[in-house]
Amino acid sequence: MLKLMVLLLAFGVIAFILWWFFAKHETSGVRAQRIGDRQEARITVNGGYSPGTVVLEKGVPARLIFNRVDPSPCVDQVVFPDFGVQADLPMKEDYVIDITPDKSGEFGYACGMNMLHGKLVVE
């Protein structure tokens, strides 16, 4: 009986790990705030990106302000492959990334190890 309980617990842990790393999780999203001739969004880096999804207006220069509060080395970098941006994020300081989204669609970004992900939606 004990062996069966340990086996079931092991399968449960494995299932949880697979779900945690490979399932698509719903993320909170916000629309970037329009400030004059640009749009701006603040993103906190703490075990992930919050908000996880930022909605941008096509053709309007965007300023993404990252603030990293997580000391993990995994999140010390952010990469936007579709925009050719790779940046080192300092601890507990705002770091600005300026981009101009000129195409509609969904564009992912990730930490330097490609384990944590965020998304830009350009409309």
Side-chain angles (χ1 to χ4, degrees), residues 29-34 39-41 51 53-57 121 123:
V30 298
R31 182 170 293 279
Q33 182 181 7
R34 188 74 183 256
Q39 52 192 329
E40 189 173 284
T53 302
V54 176
V55 180
L56 301 174
E57 187 178 335
V121 177
E123 298 177 337

Side-chain angles (χ1 to χ4, degrees), residues 37-75:
D37 61 347
R38 71 171 196 267
Q39 52 192 329
E40 189 173 284
R42 297 187 75 75
I43 301 166
T44 301
V45 183
N46 189 12
Y49 299 106
S50 180
T53 302
V54 176
V55 180
L56 301 174
E57 187 178 335
K58 178 182 169 186
V60 178
R63 176 165 285 174
L64 304 173
I65 304 167
F66 284 82
N67 189 289
R68 176 178 154 229
V69 296
D70 186 340
S72 168
C74 178
V75 294

Side-chain angles (χ1 to χ4, degrees), residues 51-116:
T53 302
V54 176
V55 180
L56 301 174
E57 187 178 335
K58 178 182 169 186
V60 178
R63 176 165 285 174
L64 304 173
I65 304 167
F66 284 82
N67 189 289
R68 176 178 154 229
V69 296
D70 186 340
S72 168
C74 178
V75 294
D76 65 356
Q77 214 175 49
V78 65
V79 180
F80 290 82
D82 296 304
F83 295 95
V85 174
Q86 180 174 340
D88 293 324
L89 301 176
M91 272 295 294
K92 299 183 181 178
E93 293 179 26
D94 286 348
Y95 186 86
V96 176
I97 295 177
D98 290 311
I99 60 171
T100 301
D102 54 0
K103 293 187 292 188
S104 297
E106 292 186 2
F107 304 93
Y109 62 93
C111 67
M113 299 172 109
N114 199 29
M115 293 178 68
L116 303 173

